[in-house]
Amino acid sequence: MKKGCKFGTHRVLEPVGTLPQPALKIDNTMEIYDNEILIDVQTLNIDSASFTQIKEQAGGDLAKIEEIMMGIVASRGKHHNPVTGSGGMLIGTVKEIGPALEGKTDLKVGDKLATLVSLSLTPLKINAIKEIRKDIDQVDIDGQAILFESGIYAKLPEDMPQNLALSVLDVAGAPAQTAKLVKEGDTVLVLGGAGKSGMLCLYEAKKKAGPTGKVICYGRSEKSMERVKRAGLADVLITGDATKPVEILEKVREATNGEMCDVTINCVNITGTEMSSILATKDTGVIYFFSMATSFTAAALGAEGVGMDTTMIIGNGYTKGHADCALNCMRESEVLREIYTELYA
Amino acid sequence: MKKGCKFGTHRVLEPVGTLPQPALKIDNTMEIYDNEILIDVQTLNIDSASFTQIKEQAGGDLAKIEEIMMGIVASRGKHHNPVTGSGGMLIGTVKEIGPALEGKTDLKVGDKLATLVSLSLTPLKINAIKEIRKDIDQVDIDGQAILFESGIYAKLPEDMPQNLALSVLDVAGAPAQTAKLVKEGDTVLVLGGAGKSGMLCLYEAKKKAGPTGKVICYGRSEKSMERVKRAGLADVLITGDATKPVEILEKVREATNGEMCDVTINCVNITGTEMSSILATKDTGVIYFFSMATSFTAAALGAEGVGMDTTMIIGNGYTKGHADCALNCMRESEVLREIYTELYA
């Protein structure tokens, strides 16, 4: 059996010397190296920005979506959307564990797991697409995938349905990072707060900001905002278009008596919301970009362009304990669990 | 005289409702609104990532570079490179000040200034390109530009030549942000440390990390690394290719006895260096991406992909006192001033 690199560089075909994530093509042969884990895949959970783009390109047509997805995997060896650069995650069953991992992993053959590394770096083979659940970005397939030694994962919990766990784990980084950033008494804005990652961020923000803080949810659809209101996830609700910075500036100014926000979390899955995040935040504040549709230069030059000294953080999908943090939202809040079960499971 | 918005939204032609930086086209009529400043432009200092791209597209040909630059300004009303998304800055003389700015600005007609907001949002008209100094990204023009009310600027200092001040002010955010991030005793890596922003970062990093810290310069060209060595800007020098993460991982591991870096500053002006930054940094460390060639998704998914909890910050070209910080590097260090005068002035 061949020896593999911890980060999976042994699978990179193009360009050589890089890592699997930025690579344009990786080897998706389903024969494991000594430190890899082979997974029988059940469901792909496509990243929201990626799936939105695919659906748009396909004009919503299921056969077209299937064709695009098969094309991506055929050309890249992984589900790495060439337009958005993003991936997603998967659930499946452990089929084989490389001998070099013995004593290094708590997994055994037959375990159900969710991979918490992006599909954009995961060797994947799709034999057939079985069902596309287009409203929740989930796709059931017949196929296999490889988890590298450095790849993070979570065993699926026993106390909730698989699809619910998958949906929540997909955005696990967002609530955990929110919990790390927000301090008691903070004014927090969540852009795209009524979406899948957004509502978990609101929940953690409210816990951390406490009764002296203020949590603002900015969302577009009346229906989803109504849900946030019913669940009591935010102190202030603003319905509007996140790509209109001047509109946001005025609405947030009003909601904060001109103080603006200490922390802004951007969970919007469309492009062009960087300036809105910047103008809504205090000069001394922090913006956390969780959206994969964020443009680095638009953020960097946008802040400079308006002379704002704001700290802008690139959303890291991983932070210690993130899986537990996200699953605990479902365990702690009955109303959140009901909403996520209805919408995403 | 027409009344303008503080952020210059009144000049946005497409798409309406956005700000001048992300806009695809802005109005570059050289007739000021009541809160604008009209500038007779002397020199453009094109952003390094942008000018590198333009030079490559032109195959180094001066007439071709001119044609590309004129084309960008003709289509966008600003020097906003459509490939890199970045701009640069300019120096010039104040020609006219809108009456609404009276008492709000310390500028007067005839003052020489450098704009510290990006060219990617600055209304610009080029009548003629007079000289292209292709090795230092500077272009002398006959033309005019507009500074918005929120636009930051620096009056050109009297104690150094204009071109030197312009070169240093162009990257003023980098040393100032480095000074804010680095703490005593830190191990600091500057990728692209032998370049224009890199050397200023090294200088500030050494001041802040102090004798118990360690500053590592990673650069590509032997000649420029020799310069860094002679100037004593770093404790450790590593020559290599910043797009090869595995190579960097091994070299930095060796240089730090396996500890890796507390702070990594990325000043490389080419794409594909995100993973190198991530692998060189401690799990608990901070990466500051100053390079405009940074890909948001490559950074976000790259860190998650290798299970690293690193904090990654989007380089903000502006922070309080950044112009003074950068100019002070030239005042404090004779050897740095000599190098910058030779290379960039």
Side-chain angles (χ1 to χ4, degrees):
Chain A
M1 193 177 273
K2 285 184 282 187
K3 279 188 195 310
C5 151
K6 179 179 169 189
F7 301 117
T9 52
H10 53 276
R11 294 235 175 213
V12 173
L13 298 177
E14 192 195 327
V16 172
T18 188
L19 271 96
Q21 201 284 323
L24 295 174
K25 194 173 177 62
I26 61 175
D27 172 15
N28 64 347
T29 316
M30 288 299 140
E31 192 180 302
I32 63 167
Y33 285 65
D34 70 337
N35 65 343
E36 293 181 338
I37 293 171
L38 179 67
I39 300 164
D40 276 331
V41 180
Q42 175 186 325
T43 304
L44 303 176
N45 199 92
I46 308 296
D47 165 72
S48 173
S50 171
F51 206 63
T52 301
Q53 186 278 322
I54 291 171
K55 279 189 289 191
E56 270 172 21
Q57 193 185 326
D61 180 65
L62 287 177
K64 232 9 199 314
I65 292 174
E66 180 169 339
E67 190 187 305
I68 294 168
M69 290 183 61
M70 296 297 277
I72 290 173
V73 175
S75 82
R76 303 213 156 195
K78 53 182 181 172
H79 202 283
H80 183 203
N81 185 320
V83 181
T84 64
S86 57
M89 48 178 302
L90 62 83
I91 52 175
T93 309
V94 176
K95 177 88 186 282
E96 190 183 353
I97 299 174
L101 292 179
E102 211 166 305
K104 283 188 179 178
T105 177
D106 60 348
L107 288 175
K108 52 186 194 310
V109 172
D111 277 350
K112 284 240 164 197
L113 58 68
T115 62
L116 299 180
V117 284
S118 173
L119 287 179
S120 69
L121 63 87
T122 304
L124 177 69
K125 202 150 228 172
I126 303 182
N127 301 320
I129 287 182
K130 300 202 286 200
E131 189 192 344
I132 297 172
R133 290 190 290 283
K134 136 173 122 155
D135 297 334
I136 56 170
D137 309 344
Q138 290 186 359
V139 180
D140 287 344
I141 66 161
D142 169 10
Q144 292 189 310
I146 299 282
L147 186 67
F148 297 129
E149 184 176 342
S150 67
I152 43 174
Y153 59 83
K155 280 202 231 187
L156 285 174
E158 314 244 307
D159 60 348
M160 66 186 79
Q162 271 174 34
N163 284 341
L164 178 63
L166 178 59
S167 287
V168 170
L169 288 170
D170 176 41
V171 293
Q177 298 284 11
T178 302
K180 271 167 69 179
L181 277 179
V182 175
K183 293 182 305 295
E184 201 179 327
D186 276 354
T187 297
V188 182
L189 170 67
V190 183
L191 288 172
K196 188 163 76 166
S197 58
M199 284 190 281
L200 299 182
C201 293
L202 288 173
Y203 179 75
E204 288 296 326
K206 259 192 93 72
K207 270 208 294 191
K208 295 303 288 282
T212 58
K214 182 184 274 183
V215 175
I216 305 169
C217 174
Y218 205 99
R220 185 140 199 195
S221 122
E222 295 282 355
K223 198 171 154 194
S224 58
M225 290 298 275
E226 190 49 49
R227 209 177 282 128
V228 170
K229 191 175 174 186
R230 242 190 311 128
L233 292 171
D235 301 305
V236 181
L237 291 105
I238 306 175
T239 304
D241 180 350
T243 66
K244 300 270 182 284
V246 181
E247 186 184 317
I248 290 195
L249 173 70
E250 280 155 18
K251 287 178 172 170
V252 173
R253 189 186 278 146
E254 196 187 343
T256 61
N257 302 316
E259 299 274 317
M260 311 314 284
C261 303
D262 298 291
V263 177
T264 294
I265 316 272
N266 185 321
C267 295
V268 182
N269 59 5
I270 55 166
T271 56
T273 64
E274 298 84 1
M275 274 318 302
S276 302
S277 312
I278 292 163
L279 294 187
T281 312
K282 287 182 187 174
D283 190 40
T284 51
V286 176
I287 304 170
Y288 179 78
F289 287 102
F290 192 70
S291 164
M292 285 297 143
T294 306
S295 155
F296 181 90
T297 48
L301 298 175
E304 185 194 79
V306 291
M308 299 277 274
D309 200 355
T310 323
T311 300
M312 297 179 288
I313 303 179
I314 297 176
N316 184 342
Y318 172 68
T319 185
K320 273 170 208 78
H322 70 326
D324 285 338
C325 172
L327 293 172
N328 284 341
C329 294
M330 295 298 112
R331 291 172 181 136
E332 291 166 12
S333 165
E334 209 172 307
V335 54
L336 261 187
R337 183 164 174 159
E338 272 167 28
I339 292 174
Y340 278 69
T341 301
E342 182 201 333
L343 294 178
Y344 307 118
Chain B
M1 193 176 276
K2 284 183 282 187
K3 280 188 195 312
C5 151
K6 179 179 171 190
F7 302 117
T9 52
H10 53 277
R11 293 235 176 214
V12 173
L13 298 177
E14 190 196 327
V16 172
T18 187
L19 271 97
Q21 200 284 324
L24 295 175
K25 194 173 177 64
I26 61 175
D27 172 15
N28 64 348
T29 316
M30 288 300 141
E31 192 179 301
I32 62 168
Y33 284 65
D34 70 337
N35 65 342
E36 292 182 337
I37 293 170
L38 180 67
I39 300 164
D40 277 331
V41 180
Q42 175 186 325
T43 304
L44 304 176
N45 199 93
I46 308 296
D47 164 72
S48 174
S50 171
F51 207 61
T52 301
Q53 185 276 325
I54 292 171
K55 279 190 289 192
E56 270 171 21
Q57 192 186 326
D61 180 66
L62 286 177
K64 225 26 196 304
I65 292 174
E66 180 169 338
E67 190 186 304
I68 294 168
M69 291 182 60
M70 296 297 277
I72 290 173
V73 175
S75 82
R76 302 213 156 195
K78 53 182 180 172
H79 202 283
H80 183 205
N81 185 320
V83 181
T84 63
S86 57
M89 49 179 300
L90 62 84
I91 52 175
T93 308
V94 176
K95 177 88 187 282
E96 191 183 353
I97 298 174
L101 293 179
E102 211 166 304
K104 283 188 179 177
T105 175
D106 60 348
L107 289 174
K108 53 186 194 310
V109 171
D111 277 349
K112 284 241 165 197
L113 58 71
T115 61
L116 299 180
V117 282
S118 173
L119 287 179
S120 69
L121 63 88
T122 304
L124 176 70
K125 201 150 229 173
I126 302 181
N127 301 320
I129 287 181
K130 300 202 288 200
E131 189 192 342
I132 297 172
R133 291 189 290 283
K134 130 173 124 157
D135 297 333
I136 56 170
D137 310 343
Q138 289 186 359
V139 180
D140 287 344
I141 67 161
D142 169 10
Q144 292 188 309
I146 299 282
L147 186 66
F148 298 129
E149 185 176 342
S150 66
I152 42 175
Y153 59 84
K155 280 203 231 187
L156 285 174
E158 314 242 308
D159 60 348
M160 66 187 78
Q162 269 174 34
N163 283 341
L164 178 62
L166 179 59
S167 287
V168 171
L169 288 170
D170 176 40
V171 292
Q177 299 283 11
T178 302
K180 271 168 68 180
L181 277 180
V182 175
K183 294 181 305 294
E184 202 178 326
D186 275 354
T187 297
V188 182
L189 169 67
V190 182
L191 288 172
K196 188 163 75 166
S197 57
M199 284 189 283
L200 299 181
C201 293
L202 288 173
Y203 179 75
E204 288 296 325
K206 260 192 92 71
K207 269 208 294 191
K208 295 303 286 286
T212 57
K214 181 184 276 185
V215 175
I216 305 170
C217 174
Y218 205 99
R220 183 141 200 194
S221 121
E222 296 281 357
K223 199 171 155 193
S224 58
M225 290 297 276
E226 190 49 50
R227 209 177 282 127
V228 171
K229 191 174 174 187
R230 242 191 311 127
L233 292 171
D235 301 305
V236 180
L237 291 103
I238 307 176
T239 305
D241 179 350
T243 66
K244 301 270 183 281
V246 181
E247 186 183 318
I248 290 194
L249 172 70
E250 279 156 17
K251 287 178 172 170
V252 173
R253 189 185 279 147
E254 196 187 344
T256 61
N257 302 316
E259 299 273 316
M260 311 314 284
C261 302
D262 298 292
V263 177
T264 293
I265 316 273
N266 185 322
C267 294
V268 182
N269 59 5
I270 54 166
T271 56
T273 64
E274 297 84 2
M275 274 316 305
S276 302
S277 312
I278 292 163
L279 294 187
T281 312
K282 288 181 187 175
D283 189 39
T284 52
V286 176
I287 304 170
Y288 179 78
F289 286 102
F290 193 69
S291 163
M292 284 298 142
T294 305
S295 156
F296 182 89
T297 48
L301 298 175
E304 185 193 76
V306 292
M308 299 278 273
D309 201 356
T310 323
T311 300
M312 299 180 288
I313 303 179
I314 297 176
N316 184 342
Y318 172 67
T319 185
K320 273 171 209 80
H322 70 325
D324 286 338
C325 172
L327 293 171
N328 284 342
C329 294
M330 296 297 111
R331 292 172 181 137
E332 290 166 12
S333 165
E334 209 172 308
V335 55
L336 260 187
R337 183 163 173 158
E338 273 168 27
I339 291 174
Y340 279 69
T341 302
E342 183 202 332
L343 293 178
Y344 307 117

